[in-house]
Amino acid sequence: MSIDFGDDFFFGTATSSFQIEGRSPIIPQGESIWDSFCALPGRVSDRSNGLIACNHVERYAEDVALMKKLNMGVYRFSVAWPKVIPNGRGVVSPAGLDFYDRLVDELLAADIVPFPTLYHWDLPQALDDDGGWMMRETAEAFADYTTAVVERLGDRISTWMTFNEPYVSAALGYVTGEHAPGHRSLDAGLAVAHHLLVAHGMGMERIRAAAPNAEAGIVLNFTPAKPATKAPADVAAADIRNAWENEWYIGPIMGKGYPERAVEALGWNRVIDVRDGDMELIAAPIDVLGVNYYSRSVVSAVGQTQPLSHQRTEMGWEVHPESMRALLVWIHENYAPPKIVITENGAAMPDTQVAGGRINDTDRIDYLRRHLHAVHAAKEAGVPMAGYLAWSLMDNFEWAHGYTKKFGLVEIEERTLNRKPKASALWFAEVARTGVVPDA
Ligand code: IFM
């Protein structure tokens, strides 16, 4: 059966600064932790970096024109802190702000709503040299950076997002070391998680002060954990995973605090430096919650297990749209954010089939179709769903996987960096034009 999202629902795509922008000689910028991480041997699988990426910094007007052609109503991008304040704190670079100024104007001229995120992982290296997110002072630097950006663009932005996926910043950047800055310490990750939340709270205050009429919120990722069996040990393992991965951020932000059972069971309160007023600051009301959903996990007491029968993407992630519907209902019933936007959903696929000179990614179309059905089902169940942004507009730098994993609706040709819409881009353009998602 085909489904209709109606007129009050928007469609668009998402990207982030480090993954697509690259550098330009006319925009002097500071190093970010990802520049440093890419330079370390063995950290990025194809030894690539973000120096050129998709060269969006020079080709942004072409990218906006392409979005317009694809009927996109909203564009989620992130602002690169090292382009705006090269040293992380102190002098603001007019050239950096000018770039985002031009991008926002180009989008508005094309009738595309700009939907910026202030932090999508590219922390200025200068701040990391002083301890980065392990230091509470970094939250203060983030607040000043927020003011600089919001004061400049605020007259044209209707919705601000503070952070993208703080869980990933803390867990992969500081606990497992898979992401920049590559630390491997649970204690560091716990401290970082709290500082990111404090920074979110401070950022919200600055957004409210500089743009009182704008909406504001945060983008969180969720990977619902299901126990592999009914054995108590598996159930307990999945429960702790849910607490750390899916409740650790939304709980404090929505005024429910850190999940008590995990704090107590693991003794984590010993390292979280919660100061007077922190939890109130973090719980300041948001207008909108961004939800990033890709997959679920199946957890046993001995670690993650993989249901063999299920379809997976190139990331090895199980395709499980039903978990997305259940997740959205769970968020609504337990936390009730005023509005939810799917800020990321999509799939890395092999992209090996070509038809008529175009990548014929029917597997990606199927993924998007099934997940859009899940979003629609949640909406029908009363969840206040406002929009859906596909990850990603184009193939880009997939962090530790370099350019080897392709999430784009648009292909980036290897040498020329020319943009070529895949079959999924044309399919999604029709969904955006009509609001209707056809059945398979
Ligand atoms: O590419 C990332 C993005 O930067 C954050 N969310 C998940 C995507 C796919 O891994």
Side-chain angles (χ1 to χ4, degrees):
M1 210 179 56
S2 68
I3 48 169
D4 190 342
F5 275 92
D7 293 337
D8 59 346
F9 191 89
F10 60 79
F11 294 92
T13 56
T15 63
S16 88
S17 46
F18 192 84
Q19 293 178 274
I20 66 162
E21 282 180 358
R23 293 179 178 219
S24 156
I26 60 163
I27 309 176
Q29 68 176 81
E31 298 290 304
S32 80
I33 53 172
W34 271 95
D35 292 306
S36 314
F37 196 69
C38 290
L40 297 174
R43 299 306 184 102
V44 174
S45 69
D46 61 359
R47 302 192 189 141
S48 61
N49 55 49
L51 292 180
I52 298 175
C54 305
N55 195 16
H56 172 74
V57 76
E58 288 177 346
R59 298 175 78 149
Y60 72 92
E62 179 188 345
D63 291 334
V64 172
L66 180 57
M67 285 184 241
K68 169 117 186 120
K69 231 172 156 174
L70 296 174
N71 309 318
M72 295 297 113
V74 174
Y75 175 50
R76 174 173 176 239
F77 60 96
S78 76
V79 177
W81 189 346
K83 276 192 171 70
V84 174
I85 306 183
N87 286 322
R89 49 168 73 91
V91 182
V92 176
S93 157
L97 282 175
D98 286 350
F99 168 66
Y100 295 104
D101 212 65
R102 289 195 293 275
L103 173 63
V104 166
D105 283 348
E106 196 77 24
L107 287 162
L108 292 173
D111 261 332
I112 299 170
V113 175
F115 192 99
T117 303
L118 288 158
Y119 183 82
H120 195 127
W121 306 353
D122 40 1
L123 183 74
Q125 181 57 47
L127 293 178
D128 192 59
D129 293 342
D130 293 338
W133 288 114
M134 292 187 285
M135 310 304 289
R136 196 179 164 98
E137 290 73 22
T138 301
E140 281 150 27
F142 174 77
D144 290 343
Y145 154 69
T146 298
T147 297
V149 177
V150 178
E151 280 186 346
R152 178 67 180 272
L153 305 178
D155 56 337
R156 285 153 291 157
I157 299 297
S158 48
T159 311
W160 290 97
M161 296 309 234
T162 53
F163 282 83
N164 178 72
E165 302 183 358
Y167 165 79
V168 175
S169 290
L172 275 67
Y174 292 83
V175 182
T176 69
E178 291 159 81
H179 278 189
H183 296 289
R184 294 197 178 100
S185 151
L186 177 60
D187 285 10
L190 288 166
V192 165
H194 188 64
H195 295 152
L196 289 168
L197 283 165
V198 168
H200 158 74
M202 291 179 172
M204 288 291 291
E205 281 187 342
R206 299 298 188 94
I207 295 168
R208 299 301 190 203
N213 297 324
E215 296 200 325
I218 186 167
V219 174
L220 302 178
N221 62 296
F222 296 88
T223 307
K226 185 184 172 313
T229 70
K230 290 193 178 120
D234 288 350
V235 173
D239 186 46
I240 291 295
R241 174 75 72 89
N242 275 321
W244 170 230
E245 198 163 338
N246 299 311
E247 296 169 42
W248 202 258
Y249 298 85
I250 195 171
I253 288 164
M254 298 308 295
K256 290 192 158 187
Y258 289 115
E260 267 308 317
R261 63 196 195 284
V263 174
E264 276 166 23
L266 304 172
W268 286 354
N269 39 357
R270 100 198 115 79
V271 267
I272 313 173
D273 175 22
V274 180
R275 303 202 184 158
D276 277 356
D278 277 4
M279 299 316 280
E280 292 74 18
L281 175 73
I282 295 167
I286 56 169
D287 306 302
V288 50
L289 176 71
V291 170
N292 292 357
Y293 173 87
Y294 290 89
S295 185
R296 67 168 181 171
S297 59
V298 179
V299 176
S300 78
V302 290
Q304 191 136 327
T305 59
Q306 308 267 329
L308 293 174
S309 56
H310 290 185
Q311 192 194 347
R312 320 194 147 268
T313 70
E314 286 287 280
M315 299 294 281
W317 298 345
E318 182 187 356
V319 177
H320 207 267
E322 165 52 23
S323 290
M324 186 184 205
R325 188 206 58 80
L327 166 73
L328 294 169
V329 170
W330 172 80
I331 292 174
H332 175 58
E333 286 177 351
N334 288 281
Y335 301 99
K339 189 155 75 182
I340 299 179
V341 172
I342 301 301
T343 34
E344 287 182 27
N345 175 239
M349 290 297 182
D351 286 356
T352 44
Q353 304 294 321
V354 177
R358 175 185 307 292
I359 289 179
N360 193 22
D361 51 343
T362 50
D363 43 8
R364 183 174 288 106
I365 293 174
D366 190 54
Y367 180 99
L368 296 174
R369 186 181 56 72
R370 293 174 61 195
H371 286 81
L372 280 161
H373 273 263
V375 175
H376 189 264
K379 188 169 182 279
E380 292 290 289
V383 184
M385 300 305 308
Y388 175 97
L389 306 176
W391 185 269
S392 176
L393 172 64
M394 52 193 159
D395 291 339
N396 57 46
F397 178 80
E398 179 53 28
W399 307 112
H401 300 280
Y403 297 93
T404 64
K405 303 289 181 214
K406 298 179 187 306
F407 279 87
L409 303 184
V410 173
E411 174 191 4
I412 301 291
E413 265 186 352
E414 215 170 295
R415 244 175 352 89
T416 62
L417 302 187
N418 285 341
R419 281 67 168 141
K420 280 178 71 180
K422 304 177 191 176
S424 58
L426 306 189
W427 179 88
F428 191 54
E430 200 49 20
V431 170
R433 190 182 68 78
T434 59
V436 172
V437 182
D439 206 7

